[in-house]
Each structure stands twice: as structure tokens, then as C-alpha cells.
Amino acid sequence: MLSSNAPIADWSNRTVWLIGASDGIGLALGQMLGAKGARLVVSARRAQALEEHFPDPSVLKLPLDVNDSGAVGRALDQLQAQSHLPDVVVWMVGQYEPAGLLDLSPHTAKAVLQTNLLSAYDALAAVLPVWRHQMADSGQAPQDSGQRWPRPHWVFVSSVAGYRGLPRAADYGASKAGLSHLAQVAHIELKPVGIDVSLVCPGFVSTRLTAKNSFKMPAVITPEQAANSILKGLAKGQFEIHFPKRLSLLLKLL
């Protein structure tokens, strides 16, 4: 149903804005993209962590709280002013507070949904008009693969937790299911106007968030393995990139 994207194998002519880069998969992916020659902008709430993990002065560090509805728009104005307009946005935003329904806090659940899902709408509303304007100024047609300005590409990082209901993840799973739906709609609607969209659904990855789990996680992988899978999927032009297959395919079947 969903057609593929323009492959991205050469990152040397791409400007990537990685939102959620201070640890875990975001940190690993940012370091790999930097090694591949991408022009990198990294954002997260923790400014100190960005400075520590990305000491290279060529990497633009831009602290950002996605729950501030105007933050992405203001950050984008700053990037344009500094000639750092990204043509790839990697949306790797996540909050996870595992709890059963009998112990669930509505306040916490709303915060998880705000961070993991609702903030993405603010971000899209800020970035998409700028991309459309940039494409119009460059004379780029929707079918162009990047001869004038690199074909814009938005990467949503969701989770296999959005595939089906899982214990102790009523808010997190719902937020990721919603994000995956948003990515599917975005791919359908934006591809005809020249903007690619990818959906990334990792399984269990050893990160600060999954350290909160009290159970033995099946098929757990490292952030570096996850980042490598994302890059491989983008190089193939895949819309949905899910891994590790021994877990993600099982959850898809269920």
C-alpha cells in the first residue's frame, strides 16, 4: 500500500536535524551520521549532554523542549538564520513510565501522550511550510530526487509497542500507535508533493528508558545496532523500518 522513498546512502550533502540526540538510539545515530559526513544539528532538553557527546564544533547543538508548542518553530528560525536549514528531520522523541492500569496516573499518561505524540503535530506544522517554500524557491518538482535541493525526508521513530496492546504500556503504546498512524498518513499525503516520510519501529533497545523495565526483555539490542538498522533501511528507501526482525515480525503477526 505504501510506496518506498528516495534512498539515502550518501549523507555528505544532507543537513540532518536529530531531535532526541542526547542518549540512546539518537546519540548512536548522530555519531554515525557525523562519521558519514552529514551536516548535523542535534537537539534535546539536556544541553550539557549534547555538548559532552558532540564536542565537534561543526555540530550545531540546539537545546529544545518539544513540549513547548512554539519551540520547534523558534529553533527553525534560528537554523534558517544560520544557514542550517535541515532537509532531513529525525523525530526521536520519547517518554516512558511503565505502569499497570490499576496504578496509572492520568497526569503521567497525559504527559507521555503529549511528549510522544502531540508534540509531533507542532513540529510538522512548523517545518512543512518551510520545506514547501524552500522547494518552490529552488524550482524543485515533486518527482525530483534532489538535483536542486535535497528531497526533504522526515523520519518518525515509533516502536513495536504500537503494533498491539502490551502490559504496563497503556499510555506509551497508545502514543506510539498514534505516531505510527501519523507517519502512515504523512507518507501518503506528502510523497506527492515531494517530501518523503519513514517510520522506524524498534524493538527492545538497551537505553535509559528500557532500563525502567522490570522484566527480561526479549531480543534486546544495542543503540548502535538500532542506529545501523535505521541507516540500512534509509539506504534502501524503505518506508517502514522495523527491527530486530525476530521480534518485530512476531508482533506484526500477533
Side-chain angles (χ1 to χ4, degrees):
M1 181 184 71
L2 298 174
S3 56
S4 60
N5 299 308
I8 308 178
D10 180 7
W11 292 91
S12 61
N13 67 332
R14 309 305 296 249
T15 301
V16 182
W17 189 8
L18 184 53
I19 302 174
S22 59
D23 60 13
I25 304 174
L27 172 57
L29 183 60
Q31 291 175 335
M32 288 184 183
L33 287 171
K36 289 181 176 292
R39 194 182 192 201
L40 204 58
V41 182
V42 293
S43 290
R45 284 181 295 181
R46 297 183 295 157
Q48 184 176 351
L50 294 176
E51 294 291 345
E52 290 176 357
H53 295 312
F54 296 95
D56 187 341
S58 68
V59 177
L60 181 59
K61 276 74 74 174
L62 194 63
L64 179 70
D65 181 359
V66 298
N67 290 320
D68 177 348
S69 61
V72 172
R74 294 192 298 271
L76 194 61
D77 290 341
Q78 183 177 340
L79 293 177
Q80 287 185 283
Q82 298 182 21
S83 298
H84 264 77
L85 180 63
D87 52 82
V88 178
V89 171
V90 181
W91 187 256
M92 196 168 304
V93 175
Q95 181 176 344
Y96 175 51
E97 304 296 339
L101 280 175
L102 294 177
D103 302 313
L104 191 68
S105 160
H107 175 77
T108 300
K110 290 175 183 178
V112 169
L113 288 164
Q114 169 61 43
T115 298
N116 293 356
L117 176 59
L118 299 182
S119 62
Y121 289 87
D122 290 323
L124 285 171
V127 174
L128 292 181
V130 175
W131 274 355
R132 294 296 306 280
H133 182 74
Q134 180 69 21
M135 294 168 69
D137 281 354
S138 67
Q140 184 166 317
Q143 66 270 20
D144 283 351
S145 60
Q147 291 88 344
R148 299 176 180 87
W149 191 64
R151 184 180 176 93
H153 197 127
W154 191 289
V155 182
F156 288 101
V157 179
S158 182
S159 169
V160 298
Y163 286 164
R164 58 157 295 142
L166 296 173
R168 298 178 61 80
D171 49 7
Y172 181 79
S175 71
K176 292 302 185 179
L179 190 68
S180 296
H181 180 88
L182 175 60
Q184 291 164 357
V185 172
H187 185 56
I188 293 169
E189 293 189 7
L190 298 179
K191 189 175 183 62
V193 300
I195 297 172
D196 283 335
V197 175
S198 289
L199 169 63
V200 178
C201 293
F204 291 107
V205 182
S206 181
T207 66
R208 174 176 54 89
L209 294 184
T210 57
K212 298 178 181 181
N213 287 331
S214 58
F215 57 89
K216 182 177 176 58
M217 295 178 289
V220 65
I221 62 175
T222 67
E224 290 74 21
Q225 288 173 311
N228 191 52
S229 293
I230 293 172
L231 291 177
K232 286 183 178 179
L234 294 174
K236 295 177 181 177
Q238 294 176 343
F239 163 67
E240 184 176 0
I241 304 166
H242 57 92
F243 53 85
K245 293 294 193 297
R246 61 189 184 277
L247 174 64
S248 58
L249 288 175
L250 174 62
L251 289 174
K252 275 182 169 291
L253 177 63
L254 291 174

